[in-house]
Amino acid sequence: MWRRAHLGRAFAWLWAAHAVSAYGTWFGFGALSVVAITVLHAGSAEVAALSSSGLAIGALLAVPLGPWVEFRAKRPVMITTDLVRFAALASVPIAYWLDVLSFPQLLVVSVVVAAAKIAFTAASGAYLRNVVPDDALLVASSRFESTTWSATIIGPPVGGAAIGLLGSLTTVVVDAASYLLSALCVAAIRKPEPPPIGRKTHARRWSDLVEGWRYVLAHHALRRFLLNTMLVNGLIMATESLLSVLMLSHLGFPVWQYGLAFAVPCVGGLIGSRLARRVVHRRGEQTALRVFGALRACWPLGLAFVQPGVTGLVIVMVTEFGLIVCVSLFTPVFATYRLTNTDPGRHARVLTAWSISTSASTAVITMVWGLLAHLTSPRAAIAAAGVLLLATPFLLPRRITAPEPASPTPPEEKPSLPGDSSQHRSRASA
């Protein structure tokens, strides 16, 4: 099982959908910002607003999407959100060709794409457990993770070359097309989907909005993992943005060296995701989560010691490589743990709450660290983030694999078939 796993045709189509959208996203990485700069001649303030608005406003708009996704069949939701992203991105080249493209339109597109991404992630995460047995969830999550990192390696340089040869709108067109292909892949799945557990009622509408957070906060391990993830992700992303300023503006690295410093270490993503199953098999889920959850916080401090020249380039590449290996190993193991420790009737709401929380915290921490860098220096802010990251492992739960009782399912959300609820209760992986 640990060497080869045949997960079936339904998973193959779901994996294909993930692959084409991942490659399209990374091929078009930063595409809207490039269009804003090259076509609309936007300034730095407008580009910053474009980058942050999708993250912040999209997360806010996604709050009611959790219950909406939860009580509906997941495959139609995935198809719909893919088509929404396709239409939003396709409107950009159409508006350009009609000579009506504007910066407000790019803002709207950014927000719509971000909100649809959160809904798609929640639906696909919940749907994965319908097409893959529990003992193969780690295999499936590892394949998703390795695909994401391979897209990270290949997409940006190919997209950059395409912009140079064919223009800035090329990557937007390809990114839009990738979502259309993703929708077709999901539509090709023929495996019947179980009906959603429960249905939304008017009496529970407002409580459903916060049910994802309520469930996570009531679960000791998931609560601590969420706090840890919000801090780790936010501080790492804040560090990466400040590092670009330090390397390009303060230390004078050429752009090609800066790109190389981040492209080469992404190979670590393939290594970590491939090792995840073996580590869990040999050392156990608890060891994998605790050890690599802690190790991923130890690397960014090294970025505060970057120097000009080859030495600095090596420091960045080694630091990023170690960080990415740890992150890519931890991520699929934790994704599996979160799925198997969430009640099936709350999958979509928990995943939506998780995405909203991490997106919002990343936006806030990035802004705060930008202000800190302005008041001090990018190197000082990077060092402060690195030191604070060293404390984040203390937020990890001390005991991970012990099963915790799931929150009782309200009467109106219980499955109609007898016996269904007992086999789907929240549980920890062995």
Side-chain angles (χ1 to χ4, degrees):
M1 179 182 67
W2 294 98
R3 294 183 179 274
R4 291 185 179 273
H6 300 282
L7 302 180
R9 187 179 297 273
F11 173 76
W13 281 115
L14 189 62
W15 189 14
H18 173 82
V20 294
S21 62
Y23 274 90
T25 297
W26 284 102
F27 181 88
F29 181 70
L32 293 181
S33 296
V34 173
V35 171
I37 294 169
T38 59
V39 177
L40 301 178
H41 309 291
S44 57
E46 290 175 305
V47 173
L50 180 63
S51 300
S52 61
S53 62
L55 197 63
I57 304 176
L60 180 63
L61 293 179
V63 171
L65 293 180
W68 182 78
V69 173
E70 191 77 80
F71 301 110
R72 284 166 174 78
K74 306 303 182 288
R75 196 165 67 94
V77 170
M78 289 188 285
I79 295 172
T80 300
T81 51
D82 268 339
L83 293 178
V84 167
R85 288 186 284 183
F86 163 72
L89 287 169
S91 71
V92 174
I94 292 174
Y96 172 77
W97 292 327
L98 295 176
D99 199 25
V100 293
L101 182 64
S102 64
F103 186 77
Q105 179 183 348
L106 294 184
L107 284 173
V108 171
V109 170
S110 177
V111 170
V112 169
V113 170
K117 177 183 177 181
I118 292 175
F120 181 91
T121 300
S124 62
Y127 185 69
L128 179 63
R129 206 171 177 188
N130 293 326
V131 299
V132 175
D134 282 1
D135 59 359
L137 281 174
L138 179 55
V139 178
S141 298
S142 298
R143 291 184 181 179
F144 284 154
E145 186 73 7
S146 62
T147 301
T148 299
W149 283 108
S150 64
T152 306
I153 297 170
I154 298 172
V158 175
I163 290 176
L165 293 174
L166 303 174
S168 57
L169 286 171
T170 304
T171 54
V172 179
V173 173
V174 173
D175 194 11
S178 73
Y179 292 121
L180 180 59
L181 289 175
S182 175
L184 293 175
C185 289
V186 175
I189 299 175
R190 292 292 177 260
K191 183 175 182 178
E193 180 180 353
I197 299 176
R199 65 180 62 183
K200 183 170 64 177
T201 63
H202 293 293
R204 289 184 53 82
R205 179 178 300 168
W206 294 109
S207 62
D208 280 334
L209 295 179
V210 297
E211 179 60 27
W213 285 283
R214 182 185 293 121
Y215 186 89
V216 171
L217 295 177
H219 190 293
H220 171 72
L222 289 180
R223 178 176 69 248
R224 294 179 71 96
F225 272 124
L226 177 60
L227 295 175
N228 174 272
T229 302
M230 290 168 63
L231 272 178
V232 170
N233 287 5
L235 290 170
I236 288 177
M237 292 303 297
T239 299
E240 299 295 335
S241 60
L242 297 177
L243 184 60
S244 63
V245 177
L246 177 63
M247 292 181 67
L248 296 175
S249 298
H250 292 236
L251 300 180
F253 279 89
V255 175
W256 71 268
Q257 288 187 358
Y258 171 77
L260 185 68
F262 288 95
V264 173
C266 287
V267 176
L270 300 177
I271 296 173
S273 58
R274 296 285 292 179
L275 289 176
R277 289 171 287 164
R278 296 183 182 181
V279 171
V280 171
H281 181 56
R282 295 179 181 179
R283 300 298 181 184
E285 182 184 56
Q286 175 164 319
T287 299
L289 288 173
R290 285 189 57 83
V291 171
F292 289 93
L295 286 177
R296 78 197 205 279
C298 298
W299 294 93
L301 182 59
L303 298 173
F305 302 97
V306 175
Q307 302 298 325
V310 176
T311 301
L313 190 64
V314 171
I315 290 175
V316 174
M317 293 176 70
V318 171
T319 301
E320 291 290 331
F321 178 82
L323 171 64
I324 290 172
V325 168
C326 295
V327 168
S328 61
L329 196 154
F330 174 85
T331 299
V333 179
F334 176 68
T336 302
Y337 174 85
R338 184 175 54 195
L339 275 179
T340 55
N341 282 269
T342 300
D343 189 89
R346 295 173 173 83
H347 273 157
R349 283 172 289 180
V350 165
L351 293 174
T352 301
W354 203 280
S355 296
I356 292 171
S357 300
T358 53
S359 296
S361 61
T362 297
V364 171
I365 293 174
T366 299
M367 288 188 292
V368 170
W369 249 254
L371 177 61
L372 178 62
H374 177 73
L375 296 175
T376 57
S377 69
R379 189 185 298 275
I382 291 172
V387 171
L388 187 55
L389 275 167
L390 294 178
T392 58
F394 292 102
L395 290 173
L396 293 171
R398 294 181 180 180
R399 186 167 179 82
I400 295 173
T401 56
E404 301 189 22
S407 301
T409 304
E412 67 270 23
E413 293 186 5
K414 286 184 178 178
S416 58
L417 295 178
D420 284 356
S421 60
S422 61
Q423 68 181 12
H424 290 299
R425 291 289 182 189
S426 171
R427 57 193 182 279
S429 298

